[in-house]
Amino acid sequence: MISIQTEDFDSGAEYEALRASGAGTGAIATFTGLVRDSGDMQGVSGLFLEHYPGMTEQVIAGLVEEASRRWDVRKARVIHRVGKLLLQEQIVFVGVCSAHRGDAFAACEFIMDALKASAPFWKKELSDTGEHWVEQKASDVARGKVWGK
Amino acid sequence: MISIQTEDFDSGAEYEALRASGAGTGAIATFTGLVRDSGDMQGVSGLFLEHYPGMTEQVIAGLVEEASRRWDVRKARVIHRVGKLLLQEQIVFVGVCSAHRGDAFAACEFIMDALKASAPFWKKELSDTGEHWVEQKASDVARGKVWGK
Amino acid sequence: MTEPTLTVRFFARLREELGTEQLTLPAQANQTAGDLLGVLASRGGPWAQLQGGQPVMIAINQAMAKPATPVQAGDEVAFFPPVTGG
Amino acid sequence: MTEPTLTVRFFARLREELGTEQLTLPAQANQTAGDLLGVLASRGGPWAQLQGGQPVMIAINQAMAKPATPVQAGDEVAFFPPVTGG
């Protein structure tokens, strides 16, 4: 299930929902991204996140499908927030259930890396002295490519 | 922080404690292992977990230290249960906070893989027809070695 | 008869710098996404950056595309900076 | 004068099959963990598996060790099957 939303989310409740995926689940890997205080600018107070409604959901659904072809994925959950987010707020959640530990880790990291490299979200950093659009990092493009096809 | 305990744990609360690790945290990776219904035996109803008190904590503390030398680890939490655990119960939790996503994933997966390969825990599978000690899997030994030194 | 058109959308920094969220353009025969960028760049001012400026990503009907991808009447064509989510 | 001793502990399948959780043995000069396994294996019955049976892991004072690692008076030596936690 994929949600793009302005509201915050409850990672603990999301984990419990993943855990309720049946007795064949032996492994749950989760990732949460938070707004942190050392972006491209000094004194960042928060972010503004814009996305391309419709395309975002399609791109992420495609990534979850690809992960499910490559690894044992019993259930996957992706939440990405948009709009204004303050320092330390949650931005993104990716959770994957699998029978096996290696598959849960790989699918979770793949979805997160590929989302970062290809889902149509854009971040603007907000600070006391102004705001600016974050530039894409070469390292994120590289991490997206590492997974190959 | 490392806990070896018979009681269950609240993954959501553990996540929130990791999240409270300060404004430099941008990434939290967690892993939870559950008792699943397809072990070495048919009709498994649960597990009994034995460990070597004292040594277990030392081994895991060493793994967390090693992870902290190799990656940016702002905070790490490991919980491992012992005693009798029924199907679908939580066995183990590993959570890592970092500034960066790649470090959080790598440190979390390393601690989990290395724990599985080297921490002194032993699992006995319990079923209607008897019980037996689980044999170590070659794949777990291999995953532990992949990380090298 | 209504003239065949296509919709062009802009996001993030491009949306702000062009002061434009959405445009309707006449659809031409044998046109590619790259041709559209050329037409828009020729407006001058901030539009000039669409050719030879910072990288511009292209989506056609909400799927990633390339400058050489053909566009046709009814398409939704989007131009935006490299993505920075997550 | 009290005879110098060391403590030997067994875990999991070994603990069950040997029916023994802990032993106190006299400490000998120049003894290794492997020597201790030999002494115990010579008891016969289930003890024989400690040499040439399934793999036996060794810890000395709660740190992983090898058959060639020396043991001395006061040490806590543990023998157990390969670990299976997590």
Side-chain angles (χ1 to χ4, degrees), chain A residues 69-85:
Chain A
R69 280 193 303 271
R70 294 176 65 171
W71 296 285
D72 170 66
V73 173
R74 291 176 49 86
K75 193 171 178 181
R77 176 79 168 113
V78 179
I79 307 173
H80 202 300
R81 293 176 67 197
V82 292
K84 192 174 173 184
L85 301 180

Side-chain angles (χ1 to χ4, degrees), chain B residues 1 6-8 25 34 36 44 55 58 79 94 98 104-105 110-111 131 136 142 148:
Chain B
M1 196 167 69
T6 52
E7 317 86 70
D8 196 10
T25 292
L34 309 175
R36 73 185 173 93
V44 169
M55 180 169 170
Q58 285 183 54
I79 307 172
V94 177
S98 174
F105 271 119
F110 164 79
I111 291 170
E131 53 180 51
Q136 193 176 41

Side-chain angles (χ1 to χ4, degrees), chain A residues 118-133:
Chain A
S118 68
F121 291 102
W122 300 274
K123 258 180 205 162
K124 182 190 269 184
E125 285 180 355
L126 312 175
S127 82
D128 306 339
T129 55
E131 53 180 52
H132 83 141
W133 290 99

Side-chain angles (χ1 to χ4, degrees), chain A residues 4-16:
Chain A
I4 312 298
Q5 60 189 48
T6 52
E7 316 86 70
D8 196 10
F9 52 84
D10 178 343
S11 291
E14 296 300 335
Y15 166 80
E16 290 300 335

Side-chain angles (χ1 to χ4, degrees), chain A residues 54-128:
Chain A
M55 180 170 169
T56 312
E57 292 83 346
Q58 284 182 55
V59 168
I60 298 175
L63 299 178
V64 170
E65 268 171 43
E66 186 179 342
S68 303
R69 280 193 303 271
R70 294 176 65 171
W71 296 285
D72 170 66
V73 173
R74 291 176 49 86
K75 193 171 178 181
R77 176 79 168 113
V78 179
I79 307 173
H80 202 300
R81 293 176 67 197
V82 292
K84 192 174 173 184
L85 301 180
L86 299 178
L87 218 55
Q88 295 191 256
E89 281 201 74
Q90 302 182 119
I91 307 172
V92 59
F93 176 88
V94 176
V96 172
C97 296
S98 174
H100 307 288
R101 162 171 117 261
D103 290 64
F105 271 119
C108 183
E109 190 165 11
F110 164 79
I111 292 170
M112 188 59 220
D113 281 356
L115 180 158
K116 198 136 181 139
S118 68
F121 291 102
W122 300 274
K123 258 180 205 162
K124 182 190 269 184
E125 285 180 355
L126 312 175
S127 82
D128 306 339

